[in-house]
Amino acid sequence: MYSNDGFRELERHECLRRLGQAPVGRIVHTRQALPAVLPVNFTLDHDGAVLLRTSAASELVRAIDGSVVAFEADEVDAVAHSGWSVVVTGPATVVTDPAEHERMVRTGPRPWVPSSREVFVRIEPELVTGRELVGGRSMYGVDLSGAT
């Protein structure tokens, strides 16, 4: 994270707890040598890995399988000037083990757009970072709400 920017850094376990409560996140990957961001629904696996479920024929699967990606989720209250953001960075791989696939059918994310051939993508949580701003106040007690 960026030091001295006024946000409170979150510990790994707090990051994963908050991720577990978010319904939607964003996957960040490279598309034609440029950054691309897609909103996706997800779940966390028992070890903190991010699980996505999508069509086996999707462009997303071809773009991220075997690549290092970032995954971000957040919650923001623009009125209260507060919120948090968590980023998981690590390799994304399509789950190919039949037993793991069956387990994820039962416990993984539910598709928002069902497909005839679905796959699960697993993002390993090699780097997990997060930050929080509470009530428009920085970690230094500075009022960021604009009130004077």
Side-chain angles (χ1 to χ4, degrees):
M1 305 288 22
Y2 302 103
S3 60
N4 301 321
D5 66 358
F7 288 81
R8 181 177 74 87
E9 288 188 40
L10 301 174
E11 299 292 330
R12 182 184 178 100
H13 71 278
E14 178 67 10
C15 290
L16 294 175
R17 184 187 71 75
R18 290 178 189 228
L19 270 183
Q21 297 172 345
V24 174
R26 291 158 212 73
I27 185 152
V28 182
H29 65 285
T30 303
R31 182 174 185 224
Q32 297 176 349
L34 296 171
V37 181
L38 276 175
V40 293
N41 69 311
F42 70 100
T43 59
L44 290 184
D45 209 356
H46 56 84
D47 61 354
V50 175
L51 299 177
L52 311 177
R53 185 176 189 167
T54 189
S55 167
S58 77
E59 196 175 308
L60 176 64
V61 170
R62 289 189 304 277
I64 67 174
D65 187 24
S67 298
V68 173
V69 300
F71 179 84
E72 188 271 346
D74 56 42
E75 183 177 287
V76 176
D77 183 334
V79 173
H81 299 167
S82 64
W84 58 266
S85 174
V86 171
V87 177
V88 172
T89 305
T93 54
V94 172
V95 174
T96 57
D97 179 82
E100 276 295 286
H101 182 88
E102 283 306 310
R103 178 182 70 83
M104 290 176 186
V105 166
R106 293 187 309 278
T107 64
R110 299 288 160 239
W112 286 12
V113 181
S115 170
S116 60
R117 281 191 47 236
E118 293 177 336
V119 295
F120 291 93
V121 176
R122 182 180 172 83
I123 302 170
E124 296 297 332
E126 288 188 358
L127 179 62
V128 179
T129 58
R131 50 196 243 151
E132 173 184 43
L133 179 64
V134 179
R137 291 206 163 273
S138 78
M139 64 184 278
Y140 308 107
V142 176
D143 185 349
L144 302 175
S145 67
T148 53

